[in-house]
Each structure stands twice: as C-alpha cells, then as structure tokens.
Amino acid sequence: MKRRLSILACGLLSLSLCVGSMTVLASESGRSEDSNIVVALSTDIVTLDPADTTNTLDGGIQRLIMDGLFGFDENMKVINMLATGYEANEDATEYVITLRQGVSFTDGTPWDAAAAKANLDRLSDQSLGLKRNGLFNMIDSTEIVDDYTIKVKLKYSFGAFINTLAHPAGVMMSPKQIEAGAEVCAQQPVGTGQYIFEEWKVGQSITLKLNEDWWGYKSELFEDGLALVEEDAGFNTVLFQPVPEAATRISMLQAGDADMIFPVPTESYSVLEADPNVTAESSEGITVNYIHINTHKDGVSDVRVRKAISMAVNKAVYCQVVKNGLASPATSHMGPSVQFYEEQPEVPYDVDAAKALMEEAGYGDGLSLTCVTQNSSEAIKAGEFMQQQLSLIGIELKIVPTEQGTISETINSFKGAPEDACYDLYLRGWSPSTGDADWVLRALWGSEMVPPNGSNYAYLMDETYDQLMLDGLSSADYDVRATAYSEAQKYLWDNMICVPIANSFNTWAYGSHIENVGIYPDGALYLRDGSYVE
C-alpha cells in the first residue's frame, strides 16, 4: 500500500491549552509482537471524553482512539476522515455531509448516519454541561437523509463549521458508549480509530492497542485507491504514563531508554541537537502563551493595570529565558498561522511607563495578585519570570503551581461568580485546533464561553465584542469574516483583555530507531505513520 499522507505537523493549542511533555520508551525493531511503546507525560490525563476536554494532551490521545468527520493535514488544511465530502447552502446554515462506507466502531457497531447523528446530538446538547458543548452550540438539528448522508441545520450562519467539526472534540464515539452515559464516555471510549482503548489505571497509566482492522489501512475505501497510511504503520501497544520530571525524560532519551519526547524542554533542546543518536526538531505551531487576566478582580479590572502588566513583561527576553529561543514575541491574540491573523501595534517594554500607569490607576504603592500555573517545570519557570518582571512595577505575584486535574476542577469547572475565582492571573497557552480565528477569539473571550461552559478565563462579557463574533460567522465570505476578526483583534489589544506573550514552537526529539512520528500543529502527539526502522 502507498501512504496517502504523512502528517508530521509543523505548525499549537494548546493547549491550550499547552501539551504536557511526553516520553516514548521503546522496544524492538519492526512491528513484531513486542513492538510496544510507552509514552511518559508531564501531567496526568483528566478524561477520555472528547466532549468534556479542555487540554491538548487529552485530545491528542483521544485522536488515536476516535476519528472525526474531518481532520487536518500537516498545514492545518481540512481533510476528509469519516466523511467523504459536504455541500453547504449560500448562507452557511445547512450542511449536507456524506459519510464513508465500510467503516465500523471497534465494538462492531456500524459507522453510519445514525451513529453520526447520535454524536452530533450529544455534542450540541447544551443541557449536558460538557466543556466542549459550547463549541457546537450553533447546531440546531441533525437529520438522517439516508444511511450514509446527514443534513445538519444550524441556528445561525456559521462559516467555520467544517473547521469546527475537524476539531479534536468532534471525533466520533460508538453510540453504545454514548447510551451508557457520561462516566463510560470519560473512562472507556470506543471509536473507529487506529488504536483501541484497553485500560486506564488512574494516576498511573493508560494503555491503547493497535486496531489492525482500521479503515485507514484499507485502500478499497478510498476513491483513488490510496490508503491513509501504510499497512505496517503504527505500534502494537501504546502505554501513557505520567513522568513529571523533565530531567528524567531527557536522561531516558539520551540513555536509549526512551524513543521520543515532546515537547522537548526548551532548556535541553540544544543538548539534544548535539547528540548524534538523537534527532531534535522544532517548528512554529499555533499555540500562543498568555497571561490570562480575571477582569472582574480588584486591580486588574482596571485597563491601566492590564496595560502596565503588558508593558512590564519583556516578551523577547521571555522567549530567550523561558523558551530558550524556541518562541517568538506575540503580535496579536492569535498566532500568525491561524486564519484571519492580523498583526497589532508593538507594546514596548517600558518599566517607567508601566509604573506611571500603576500610579495613575491608584496602585503606586503596589498590588498583590495570585497567579495560577501548571506544575510542569517550564510553567513554573514562566511563573517565576513573571514574578520577577512584575515586581519591578510594584506587583507582588504569588505563584500557585497546580496539577491539571485540580485546574480542571477549580478553573475550567468553576461555577461561581467571576470575582470568587481562584486566580487573578492564569498562565496558560491556547491552540485553536480548528485552525480558524473563531476558535481563539470566541473560545477565549465570547460571553457564552465563561467557565464552566468554556475557556473565557477573563470572564469578558461584552455585547459589542460578541456581535463581532457573530459577524465573523454570519457568512462564508472571506472578506466579511476578515473585517469582523480584524476589529475583534484590535478590541482585545486596545483593552488588553489578556496579555499575549509568545508564539510557541513545537519541539520534539526521537532516537534513530523510529521514524514518522511528530506533532500536529496544535501540539498533540502524532503517531499515525510511526514505525521502527529496520
């Protein structure tokens, strides 16, 4: 069989959400019975339910188990997966989608229009309170046209709908699991994917095994006779295991006990580049690292304080000190590779001007703020950097490193008043895994996306801004959408709703005995073409 596509993605979330570092421990050459790998994560997995996931790490594992109607190639261009095509009406309110025939879920349930409807009904049901329901709140109904055709009617025009279906949250799960309830969906997912979920020991490991009957291996299911990947691609089993210490992951790779790590801790990248037994790679992704600001908290509710914070952080130095040169200063609230990006005026690094703004806002004598970070080595380093920078303008920053499960519970699932949230500042990256401006600008700052419905960590609730989001989705016309998103980016920048710091690079490294492994542009692990070198 010939390979249709090798998606060694070069382009982030992430995550944000940001992806946890991973290590792949290795085995023998070839796909023998012993060709098994272990992937060590910097953080634990929270859930295996794609509809209830807010981080790229979980989504990357779910992508191995479940396929979507659509997906992305290495340039974040949409490709057909479980769908073979679609037609949309002129105002982008109805989409007729044709489905791939000859595919089954790994529990034997056929992939057909009924299965597609069951998934889209669950994704769009806002009463369920799943963290990704908001991503699909434009869906009004899904109708079965015939066994392999569905018609999706939207509540309003939504020009980014196909990109949204390609988001990792849009992968399809067996209707049997959906019927079994939320707990089963979160702990025992069944999909049509290249890998089958086998076991989850909470806090210890997740095991997947190869689905040798995966539709992506079958050339007869493709119109041009080319399968998605070669028939010998993939690993027999993949074991995901938390290994939080970055130095441990690096030493395992260098000692030959590990096959692959990603992302490479930035402080170790040059060391791995010089190792003749290791290949280290990097490329600009679609992740932007932010200082998210709870705009309802005392002090930071004042735009002058928010602007002072932006001016007090030397973003070029951050890229060197925290990212070791593997990032570039942010120039908008989304990365240059995202559709409709528009560069904004430079915010100069100016401590004196920042102090003057603090004085003007009434905080010349100082201000104390709480800043939540993830508990990875790089996240803590980023927090310490911000602590030092902001101390120069009288802001005392309390850094609270927090593991992912607790973040999910206390921030993403928080249902209280914004002023009662546990943070003033929150350091986190975001990857728009649709590749479209909508899933940055609306996902992070649209009113309907405040926790627990989404990731509007700023708790911005502004009718003018929300109207720009609606304008951007009202048409499939590029120019109409571009105008709305241009104005939205300017609004965020002028009001410094949050502080974008850097465009992160994706980084990964692997031993010479494996090949065709990499990272998607949104920062998730890619293993589809992975194999051992003979």
Side-chain angles (χ1 to χ4, degrees), residues 52 54 129-132 411-416 448-455 459:
D52 205 32
T54 59
L130 301 170
K131 295 182 179 67
R132 287 303 187 209
I411 294 180
N412 295 317
S413 299
F414 181 69
K415 297 180 180 179
E448 77 271 29
M449 295 299 180
V450 298
N453 297 322
S455 300
Y459 288 94

Side-chain angles (χ1 to χ4, degrees), residues 18 266-267 289-291 313 318 321-323 371-374 376-390 397 399 426-429 501:
C18 291
T266 53
E267 66 271 16
N289 295 112
Y290 302 99
I291 304 176
V313 176
Y318 171 93
V321 171
V322 178
K323 295 290 189 176
C371 179
V372 173
T373 74
Q374 293 175 291
S376 67
S377 302
E378 184 174 296
I380 294 171
K381 186 177 181 180
E384 292 171 347
F385 178 85
M386 300 305 174
Q387 189 176 53
Q388 181 276 327
Q389 295 276 281
L390 297 186
L397 208 60
I399 305 299
Y426 174 33
L427 301 186
R428 192 66 186 252
I501 301 296

